[in-house]
Amino acid sequence: MTVPTSEGRLQLPLGVRDVLFAEAERLRALEDRLAALFAAAGCREVRPPTLELTEAVAPVAPDETTLYKLIDRQGRVLALRPDLTASVARLVATHFPQAGELRLWYAGQVFRYEQAQGQPHELRQAGIEWFGDASAAADAAVVALAGRALAAAAAPYQLVIGHTDVLAGLWAGCGISPRDQQLLQRALMQRDYVAYEAAVGRLGLPPERTALLRDIVVGPEQDLDALAERLEGTEAFAQALAGVQRLQAIAATVRNADPELADCVVIDVGVVRNFTYYTGLVLEGFAGGVPQPVLTGGRYDDLLAAYGAPRPALGFALDLSALAAGAADAANGREQP
Amino acid sequence: MTHEYAGLTIALPKGKLFEPVLALLRRAGLQPPPELAPGTRRLIHTDAASGVQYLLARAADVPVYVEQGAADVGIAGKDVLLESGRPVYELLDLGVGVCRMVVAMPESLRRDGVPWPAALAAAGNGRLRIASKYPRIAREHLAAQGIAAEIIHLHGQVEMAPAIGLSDAIVDIVETGRTLAENRLVAVEDIFASSARLIANSVSRRLNRRPLEELVQALRGAVQSAAAGAAAAATAPAAGREAT
């Protein structure tokens, strides 16, 4: 039998590649450092399977077109996991139906059908998932662990933290209709601040509220205390204020525990991740030399209910492939911003 | 002078946008080197005083430079951004390079009160072909409306396609509409309004936050003063004439 070749060489499918020698060693070393870090934080390793039923990954992959799917001999549709959060949530529902505290870590390959050219379809992730703790202390501990994981993976790095209640609370508090809120969220998810500003301008709010909604997203870095002061005393902004206060508490705990780490943590209440999924803290990590975020995560207290095992949950995942490739670029002297 | 943007790399689009963008940068107080002018062959320019590096790129490549981190920020038309589909932050509308993305068809086939797909279907042989330099925008716009069409990707002179039987209609950028008129085409649907945008890499936006904020503020001021100047010239034509 012959195999399809191009000029005698075997081709690879779209979006996948071989990882050789030095890069493979960097990946393994990075994963070992993270494993030690996660274990020291009290996390136990789990290894869910690569294949799941499509229903099992649907709660975290609403866009089915990004899934690699196959059909088993019984005709059921399977998916290569696009993410490990879904698999770990399913694993918890399978093995730990009784609510309780659990701290898990994982590392593994994930698969996504990316539309944009040149994006990897297979990459390696490592991360943690904490279940059963809804406290601000747990938020702070996960922020600190994310910061230490980034420090172990890259330099320079920055960890950005936000809270979904701030923007959602401000929008609701300004009396913006759910439909318009969706519009604003979509603009921010698409990173289109021009559209966000224009949409806010069209709402016909009082000028100081228009300015507040604009500044919080596109304005210069905000002082959290000043923002809290601006929100205090307005009944409608109670939810937003609670979000700000939660962030203040998290930041204070992290700073008390590790001032050096706290210098690399930035609070940005304008950071937007999917609001229908995240229910509080959101995390985004950046590393010098890698042009995309290398860490994402946050709190998703409603997710486990979709698996029939409701309990608070939070976690984050690091993109090990991008970190190892970024380190290679730096080693080759290709200075990156 | 000030060095608040030191170390930033800015990707600028060659072509139509180049001169208005350069003027806007100067208005914002940046000092791109004098050699950075239309017709230059050098593609990388550094302003030694401020430490800013300028990259000259094909307009369509600016989003790629920025997404991949080769440039911290760049300037690209909304049309180019939508076509590229690259995940970059869109920070500011620069108000230059204003145009519309439209569907245009032969004037002779247009029927009053008849939607353009129906008018073309009545005149055609049952298949609808759309020529465009923007295949992704064309495909997504038509798909969103449930119109089945074959997209023909061209790299220029799209207006000629219907006349030579290459397509039934086109999706293209229109500024004044003169090119359309000269090719006996008429715009039958607006898809979106486009203008030049300041875009940023998602990581640069974080790790170079201060200089980027300064740049956005300076450019925002320049855009506003340019708009105010244009408005003043429009409302007081006499004063405008005196000045020239």
Side-chain angles (χ1 to χ4, degrees):
Chain A
M1 196 184 107
T2 56
V3 284
T5 62
S6 162
E7 292 166 18
R9 272 201 264 173
L10 198 58
Q11 286 185 343
L12 278 172
L14 193 68
V16 300
R17 67 190 187 93
D18 297 313
V19 176
L20 300 180
F21 317 133
E23 191 180 348
E25 284 155 20
R26 269 198 310 278
L27 264 174
R28 179 171 294 280
L30 174 57
E31 205 171 305
D32 287 348
R33 287 200 297 279
L34 292 174
L37 196 65
F38 295 155
C43 303
R44 302 285 310 275
E45 185 180 5
V46 288
R47 298 192 177 207
T50 315
L51 282 173
E52 297 274 356
L53 289 169
T54 302
E55 304 92 274
V57 302
V60 292
D63 181 5
E64 279 208 17
T65 62
T66 63
L67 292 176
Y68 269 96
K69 290 190 224 168
L70 37 124
I71 294 171
D72 74 5
R73 301 272 167 103
Q74 283 82 47
R76 287 178 302 190
V77 183
L78 312 181
L80 291 177
R81 61 183 177 210
D83 189 296
L84 273 134
T85 297
S87 293
V88 173
R90 199 268 315 137
L91 174 151
V92 166
T94 306
H95 297 278
F96 306 95
Q98 303 302 321
E101 276 194 39
L102 267 180
R103 295 181 175 191
L104 308 175
W105 79 270
Y106 59 78
Q109 309 294 113
V110 299
F111 304 85
R112 294 160 185 183
Y113 199 94
E114 296 284 351
Q115 304 294 333
Q117 249 177 18
Q119 296 292 321
H121 288 204
E122 177 183 18
L123 47 97
R124 191 161 184 84
Q125 285 189 335
I128 61 150
E129 305 287 347
W130 284 20
F131 301 96
D133 192 341
S135 70
D139 286 357
V142 166
V143 168
L145 191 53
R148 287 202 293 277
L150 275 173
Y157 74 91
Q158 196 171 79
L159 181 63
V160 179
I161 67 173
H163 198 289
T164 52
D165 277 354
V166 180
L167 266 185
L170 281 174
W171 292 345
C174 286
I176 299 170
S177 72
R179 205 181 139 270
D180 284 333
Q181 287 189 39
Q182 252 177 20
L183 218 85
L184 296 177
Q185 197 195 333
R186 193 176 320 131
L188 291 181
M189 295 280 291
Q190 290 171 343
R191 304 171 178 83
D192 188 348
Y193 289 6
V194 173
Y196 175 80
E197 229 183 302
V200 167
R202 277 195 304 269
L203 292 171
L205 298 170
E208 76 278 5
R209 295 210 161 168
T210 303
L212 176 65
L213 292 183
R214 191 192 60 215
D215 291 351
I216 212 156
V217 171
V218 301
E221 205 169 337
Q222 329 90 346
D223 174 12
L224 219 52
D225 298 331
L227 178 60
E229 236 169 76
R230 246 169 122 174
L231 300 178
E232 260 161 29
T234 307
E235 185 67 27
F237 289 148
Q239 185 197 358
L241 182 61
V244 171
Q245 285 164 341
R246 177 102 171 191
L247 279 175
Q248 285 174 313
I250 294 167
T253 309
V254 172
R255 183 160 289 285
N256 284 337
D258 191 341
E260 208 178 314
L261 179 78
D263 286 341
C264 292
V265 177
V266 172
I267 296 170
D268 181 354
V269 294
V271 64
V272 169
R273 305 201 60 80
N274 190 345
F275 284 178
T276 54
Y277 176 59
Y278 288 103
T279 57
L281 175 72
V282 285
L283 301 173
E284 243 174 37
F286 301 90
V290 187
Q292 284 102 33
V294 291
L295 181 150
T296 54
R299 183 173 274 289
Y300 20 85
D301 286 345
D302 298 338
L303 178 65
L304 270 285
Y307 294 89
R311 72 197 68 188
L314 76 166
F316 61 79
L318 289 124
D319 181 346
L320 302 184
S321 301
L323 283 163
D329 286 347
N332 291 336
R334 268 170 49 199
E335 278 298 310
Q336 295 275 340
Chain B
M1 253 282 286
T2 52
H3 303 281
E4 61 264 47
Y5 315 125
L8 279 189
T9 298
I10 306 178
L12 300 180
K14 292 199 287 191
K16 259 195 296 195
L17 274 179
F18 184 58
E19 284 188 71
V21 161
L22 212 52
L24 201 62
L25 290 177
R26 295 223 159 87
R27 194 185 263 269
L30 279 89
Q31 292 162 316
E35 312 86 79
L36 184 62
T40 180
R41 299 262 175 123
R42 237 176 70 205
L43 302 178
I44 303 178
H45 294 259
T46 305
D47 174 22
S50 67
V52 175
Q53 193 177 54
Y54 297 91
L55 306 179
L56 271 181
R58 286 273 307 249
D61 293 338
V62 169
V64 184
Y65 285 35
V66 172
E67 188 225 7
Q68 295 290 320
D72 301 299
V73 293
I75 290 162
K78 180 71 177 171
D79 53 334
V80 164
L81 280 174
L82 282 175
E83 183 62 27
S84 84
R86 299 273 168 175
V88 292
Y89 279 86
E90 227 175 292
L91 300 181
L92 193 63
D93 186 343
L94 298 177
V96 296
V98 177
C99 51
R100 297 175 298 142
M101 182 72 69
V102 302
V103 179
M105 64 179 276
E107 204 168 5
S108 57
L109 300 179
R110 196 174 76 90
R111 297 283 172 270
D112 280 334
V114 179
W116 67 264
L120 282 173
N125 59 3
R127 70 173 178 158
L128 182 59
R129 296 160 309 158
I130 309 281
S132 187
K133 274 191 290 190
Y134 303 88
R136 182 190 178 113
I137 290 170
R139 191 173 302 115
E140 283 178 9
H141 176 71
L142 295 172
Q145 310 215 355
I147 300 167
E150 182 187 336
I151 309 292
I152 297 170
H153 183 191
L154 299 177
H155 288 85
Q157 275 79 49
V158 176
E159 307 81 7
M160 187 162 69
I164 57 176
L166 199 53
S167 78
D168 304 298
I170 66 172
V171 165
D172 206 10
I173 275 295
V174 178
E175 245 174 288
T176 60
R178 233 181 63 200
T179 316
L180 285 187
E182 279 172 9
N183 288 282
R184 294 165 193 214
L185 297 172
V186 57
V188 285
E189 186 182 357
D190 272 15
I191 304 179
F192 60 86
S194 178
S195 55
R197 306 289 159 93
L198 177 71
I199 59 173
N201 174 271
S202 60
V203 179
S204 287
R205 204 179 130 255
R206 293 297 174 186
L207 300 182
N208 295 313
R209 179 157 190 160
R210 285 281 148 67
L212 270 186
E213 274 170 6
E214 297 281 345
L215 181 67
V216 170
Q217 291 312 318
L219 278 170
R220 193 185 283 274
V223 171
Q224 280 161 2
S225 81
T235 51
R241 233 174 279 135
E242 255 167 55
T244 50

